Amino acid sequence: MNHLIMEQLKIYFKGINPDDLVMEQMEFEENVYDILLEDWGESIGSVRMDELGVAEFFIYTDELDEIPGEMSKFAMIMQAEQFIEKFYDSTFRHGLYLSAYIDLGEYHMILYNRKDERLNKELPHSGISFTMLSNGVLSAVERESMDFELVYPKKLITNEEAKQIYLNHLHMVPVIAKYDKDVFVDGDDGYHYVYQLEDFIYGVHTNGEVLTSDSFGVSKTLVTSLPHLADDIDIYTLAGMTEDHMLVAEVKKKSGRLEVWSQLSKESLRVSEEDLLDDELDIPHAIKFVFNSEGRLLKLMGLDDSETVASRHVQSKVALLTATSVLQAIYHNPHDYFKLQQLDDDVINQKPTNGIYDYTFIRQERGVQVADAFVHIQIDDKGLVKYVDVDSEVIQDFSHVSFASTLSFKDATQLIKEKLFMELSWGKNIEKHQYTLTYLPTYPLTTGHIKMIDMNTGEPWIIDTSCMDQY
């Protein structure tokens, strides 16, 4: 790497003496360099170069967010522009403009993109992005490739035609959802009965074909009822625990408890006390359980690979029954509260991947789906529970939510129709190295994107985009 570039990059490590830093080329990576603290040999960053200059620059050390001070938006943008001026020539800078500034609280992003010459529309991910901490420390720079072809359509329907096609394919489903203050404008953090706009359709191509999640390998979600359960089996048995397992660690709090079981002693596990009691960390040769204050299962992590009584591989139907039995550790009558999510026809008769069956269950309340409330369960091919993760929404009490509705489906559709506008936008296809045009839904008369409509008040729930300034 050019010595001058190395010296210039060092100034972005605020709070660290530049003389303490060295850069070494990474083994097997011709143009990638580690940024090290010379005395400790500790890597605190990296940089990747190419023929245009700095392609990626990352600083990763926890100490940087402890540096005092707060940088203004204007100063951050100026720092980004100085970086561009310093490390890139006129070929890269040509046509680059400030696209957006995003305030994410602890982090701030500054995006630069280009526009096509014929339509003067933004080409997303066509320039460079900067991530900065609130104190002004530059934590990441990522520069996009410039060798993408712009494909102009042979046929171009109007935005009104695209709007009608979009509305014809749009589905809204009744759900219970949280009016999250951190997500929606005027949110109250309460749970409400709403129409949710499904994410299955994303937009409309310029020839009139619809763009759906299938294009990205995500099928439309279907649900099916749970299989019948004959017996109530406790979660410890389902996880494969035997008389040889010992309770090696336990933490009790008002919010619940954590248990760690193993056939090995605590000392033999050879992990720190912090890791042992971390409710997000798997421990080899151990099984972790996390329960809430009511004794409901919230999480299970089973990396106990000791031999079990199971000697035969179980079929998918047995694995599904086992997964359904796990739900009894969350609610005593799981058939009243859960449906099985089906992304394809093979979820019930699936084959294990790397020895694991995967299932996702959707929380229901009186037959109505609860948004963002899922239980993820993994069963190994011996029929033992290896992993359970329960979303926080799953164990909420929704008995107070009224299903009385004053807004008809027709009226909700009309509300969307009145506020919807289809905007012709460029989309980037990484595999084909192309940009293509698509009509995407926007809501110019609101401050953000409509995601839900309250079925009692008719109020649209608008995603809060006030953290983003677009230029």
Side-chain angles (χ1 to χ4, degrees):
M1 186 195 297
N2 182 283
H3 177 73
L4 177 60
I5 293 178
M6 288 195 296
E7 292 305 311
Q8 290 176 328
L9 283 173
K10 286 181 179 181
I11 68 173
Y12 292 97
F13 287 80
K14 297 180 180 179
I16 299 175
N17 185 346
D19 295 334
D20 294 337
L21 295 175
V22 294
M23 297 191 184
E24 295 182 358
Q25 183 172 328
M26 295 181 68
E27 192 175 3
F28 309 118
E29 297 282 353
E30 184 177 351
N31 296 311
V32 181
Y33 298 81
D34 246 343
I35 303 171
L36 309 169
L37 283 172
E38 186 171 19
D39 291 343
W40 296 87
E42 176 188 359
S43 175
I44 60 171
S46 67
V47 59
R48 181 170 68 86
M49 306 290 294
D50 61 16
E51 66 279 359
L52 292 178
V54 177
E56 292 176 339
F57 174 57
F58 292 99
I59 301 176
Y60 36 87
T61 170
D62 295 337
E63 298 176 2
L64 295 179
D65 59 2
E66 298 175 1
I67 297 175
E70 186 169 344
M71 184 176 282
S72 68
K73 178 179 78 171
F74 177 78
M76 288 185 183
I77 292 174
M78 287 299 99
Q79 180 171 246
E81 298 202 350
Q82 289 165 8
F83 191 99
I84 294 172
E85 186 71 25
K86 183 177 295 185
F87 293 106
Y88 305 103
D89 61 18
S90 58
T91 302
F92 176 76
R93 297 198 302 267
H94 176 70
L96 204 64
Y97 79 103
L98 177 60
S99 171
Y101 167 87
I102 307 172
D103 183 351
L104 300 174
E106 183 180 353
Y107 289 94
H108 305 257
M109 296 190 69
I110 302 166
L111 311 179
Y112 290 83
N113 281 318
R114 294 180 169 82
K115 294 182 179 180
D116 76 296
E117 295 181 356
R118 187 185 303 183
L119 300 175
N120 198 37
K121 288 188 173 293
E122 181 174 13
L123 299 167
H125 309 294
S126 61
I128 188 168
S129 67
F130 296 85
T131 303
M132 299 183 192
L133 301 179
S134 295
N135 55 20
V137 172
L138 179 61
S139 64
V141 178
E142 296 184 75
R143 203 201 67 228
E144 302 289 345
S145 172
M146 297 174 64
D147 60 342
F148 277 70
E149 176 190 7
L150 274 64
V151 180
Y152 290 93
K154 296 178 180 179
K155 179 181 179 181
L156 181 63
I157 63 174
T158 67
N159 54 15
E160 282 299 316
E161 290 173 322
K163 178 177 179 177
Q164 192 56 54
I165 293 171
Y166 179 83
L167 289 170
N168 289 343
H169 288 82
L170 178 66
H171 289 104
M172 293 186 289
V173 294
V175 300
I176 297 172
K178 183 180 181 180
Y179 205 5
D180 197 321
K181 290 180 179 179
D182 295 331
V183 177
F184 298 104
V185 176
D186 298 326
D188 62 9
D189 278 348
Y191 291 92
H192 303 265
Y193 188 39
V194 299
Y195 283 119
Q196 180 183 50
L197 279 67
E198 284 191 331
D199 290 332
F200 181 66
I201 178 169
Y202 287 109
V204 179
H205 291 300
T206 54
N207 62 1
E209 295 179 359
V210 294
L211 174 66
T212 68
S213 59
D214 282 333
S215 307
F216 305 97
V218 180
S219 301
K220 192 171 184 178
T221 300
L222 303 173
V223 297
T224 187
S225 298
L226 305 184
H228 176 69
L229 287 175
D231 301 311
D232 186 349
I233 307 174
D234 72 84
I235 191 62
Y236 298 101
T237 301
L238 292 169
M241 283 179 49
T242 67
E243 295 178 352
D244 296 326
H245 281 84
M246 302 172 285
L247 180 62
V248 295
E250 183 178 22
V251 176
K252 292 183 179 181
K253 300 179 181 178
K254 287 184 178 180
S255 58
R257 72 182 191 279
L258 178 146
E259 300 176 359
V260 185
W261 294 79
S262 177
Q263 293 187 17
L264 302 178
S265 66
K266 184 176 180 179
E267 294 73 25
S268 299
L269 290 174
R270 297 183 179 180
V271 295
S272 68
E273 186 78 8
E274 181 181 2
D275 288 349
L276 190 67
L277 301 177
D278 188 334
D279 61 7
E280 297 289 340
L281 189 65
D282 294 324
I283 299 295
H285 312 295
I287 307 173
K288 283 186 182 180
F289 300 87
V290 181
F291 301 92
N292 74 348
S293 58
E294 298 175 347
R296 292 181 181 177
L297 180 69
L298 300 180
K299 184 166 295 213
L300 183 153
M301 294 168 283
L303 283 186
D304 188 350
D305 54 2
S306 56
E307 290 194 17
T308 67
V309 293
S311 58
R312 298 173 58 185
H313 294 277
V314 301
Q315 299 298 313
S316 59
K317 292 183 178 179
V318 176
L320 177 56
L321 281 172
T322 302
T324 306
S325 296
V326 173
L327 298 176
Q328 295 180 124
I330 306 168
Y331 279 96
H332 292 306
N333 300 306
H335 290 81
D336 296 337
Y337 296 101
F338 297 102
K339 296 284 187 181
L340 173 64
Q341 178 175 286
Q342 252 183 285
L343 295 179
D344 53 57
D345 294 333
D346 297 327
V347 68
I348 295 177
N349 300 307
Q350 65 172 292
K351 293 182 180 179
T353 302
N354 297 323
I356 293 292
Y357 293 98
D358 259 302
Y359 300 101
T360 299
F361 298 91
I362 300 172
R363 170 76 155 90
Q364 306 270 307
E365 173 68 25
R366 288 166 277 167
V368 176
Q369 180 178 336
V370 179
D372 302 320
F374 302 98
V375 178
H376 304 273
I377 299 175
Q378 292 182 347
I379 309 296
D380 71 10
D381 56 7
K382 298 294 183 65
L384 299 179
V385 183
K386 306 306 289 184
Y387 180 78
V388 179
D389 188 31
V390 180
D391 288 340
S392 59
E393 308 291 326
V394 169
I395 58 172
Q396 295 291 331
D397 180 12
F398 302 108
S399 60
H400 64 282
V401 177
S402 171
F403 289 166
S405 173
T406 59
L407 184 71
S408 69
F409 182 83
K410 182 179 179 180
D411 289 341
T413 305
Q414 182 62 31
L415 186 150
I416 292 296
K417 184 176 182 179
E418 291 171 356
K419 298 183 181 297
L420 174 68
F421 178 80
M422 301 299 289
E423 182 177 0
L424 190 61
S425 306
W426 285 106
K428 191 173 186 178
N429 188 315
I430 302 295
E431 293 182 356
K432 295 183 178 181
H433 277 254
Q434 292 178 341
Y435 279 100
T436 56
L437 285 164
T438 305
Y439 283 103
L440 300 179
T442 62
Y443 298 88
L445 298 180
T446 68
T447 57
H449 194 88
I450 295 177
K451 185 68 175 175
M452 317 262 188
I453 302 176
D454 193 298
M455 293 177 68
N456 290 302
T457 66
E459 176 187 3
W461 289 12
I462 300 168
I463 294 178
D464 190 353
T465 58
S466 60
C467 66
M468 175 186 291
D469 292 334
Q470 292 183 294
Y471 299 90

